[in-house]
Amino acid sequence: MIVLEALGAVFSIIGAYLMSLSSKDNTRPLYFGFISFFISNLALLTFFTLNGKVPVIIQMILFFITAIIGIYKLTKNRKRDVSIIVIILFIYSSILIFTIIPNINDIDFNVLIIDFIAASIAIVGSFLLSSHKHIIRSYAFICFFLADVIFVYIGYVNAYYFFMIQSLFYLYTSSKGYHNTMKSEIDEFLSKYKR
């Protein structure tokens, strides 16, 4: 299971870094970020399912959907990307049916309020992030920052150390993403107060 957590964390960190490079006019890093999140979310969905974390499972399902939406909205070759996604989903579904579902009774599923709060904030952020309007995307980065403060705690308490490191890195990328997305507004605001 640690391989799934590590794989999810690595691709998640890559995705978050790419997202933080996007700007008002450059959405190409967002596209590649959504591809990284697509891979990460498959690994983390499986990891959190095996650990029975229900709110985070729901979050990963919705993140997975928003990654697909983000790829679909931002791709320059829709037909190719849709074909690749369908093939990956078919392979993943086959693996899920033959490995996880037969052992589902052995998993201790639970719902903790702190998991629910963090997952809810992150879900809202994920939906906001696929917007073409940079102001809306900036709200997503604020949501991610708040959620990741809580996820650092969750990772520490549950000994999900790769997940904790990922969440710590997200604090940086959320701040950077907000700054890059709102750079012109921040510069304009600062110039008013320099006068």
Side-chain angles (χ1 to χ4, degrees):
M1 274 201 300
I2 197 164
V3 173
L4 288 170
E5 182 189 5
L7 182 70
V10 167
F11 276 97
S12 194
I13 287 169
I14 292 168
Y17 177 72
L18 289 167
M19 296 273 178
S20 74
L21 297 177
S22 69
S23 64
K24 181 177 179 179
D25 301 314
N26 182 14
T27 59
R28 202 71 186 143
L30 274 177
Y31 168 73
F32 290 110
F34 279 120
I35 290 172
S36 293
F37 283 136
F38 178 84
I39 297 164
S40 169
N41 292 335
L42 279 179
L44 291 175
L45 173 60
T46 308
F47 174 76
F48 285 114
T49 299
L50 294 171
N51 282 284
K53 292 284 198 181
V54 175
V56 187
I57 293 167
I58 294 166
Q59 173 193 337
M60 288 301 137
I61 290 169
L62 292 174
F63 271 19
F64 183 66
I65 292 167
T66 57
I68 292 171
I69 292 169
I71 293 167
Y72 187 79
K73 280 184 175 181
L74 299 170
T75 186
K76 292 183 179 176
N77 191 338
R78 206 167 265 171
K79 185 177 179 182
R80 177 202 64 203
D81 286 359
V82 168
S83 298
I84 292 169
I85 288 169
V86 168
I87 290 167
I88 291 170
L89 287 178
F90 176 76
I91 293 168
Y92 181 76
S93 298
S94 300
I95 293 168
L96 188 73
I97 289 167
F98 293 111
T99 59
I100 294 178
I101 292 177
N103 299 312
I104 203 99
N105 291 332
D106 298 334
I107 299 171
D108 181 26
F109 289 98
N110 57 67
V111 179
L112 301 176
I113 190 70
I114 194 158
D115 295 348
F116 179 77
I117 291 168
S120 298
I121 295 169
I123 288 166
V124 170
S126 185
F127 278 105
L128 296 175
L129 191 61
S130 64
S131 174
H132 283 289
K133 295 180 180 178
H134 75 287
I135 299 287
I136 303 292
R137 288 198 310 268
S138 75
Y139 298 149
F141 289 113
I142 293 168
C143 289
F144 290 144
F145 188 89
L146 295 172
D148 284 311
V149 167
I150 301 169
F151 281 134
V152 167
Y153 172 77
I154 291 169
Y156 177 76
V157 168
N158 291 285
Y160 301 155
Y161 296 119
F162 284 109
F163 184 70
M164 184 180 77
I165 291 167
Q166 164 194 318
S167 298
L168 281 168
F169 184 76
Y170 277 6
L171 294 175
Y172 163 74
T173 57
S174 296
S175 301
K176 182 109 172 118
Y178 180 83
H179 180 267
N180 287 346
T181 302
M182 297 296 289
K183 186 168 180 20
S184 60
E185 284 81 357
I186 292 169
D187 291 344
E188 184 181 320
F189 176 79
L190 292 175
S191 69
K192 284 181 183 176
Y193 288 95
K194 285 182 180 176
R195 293 177 189 166

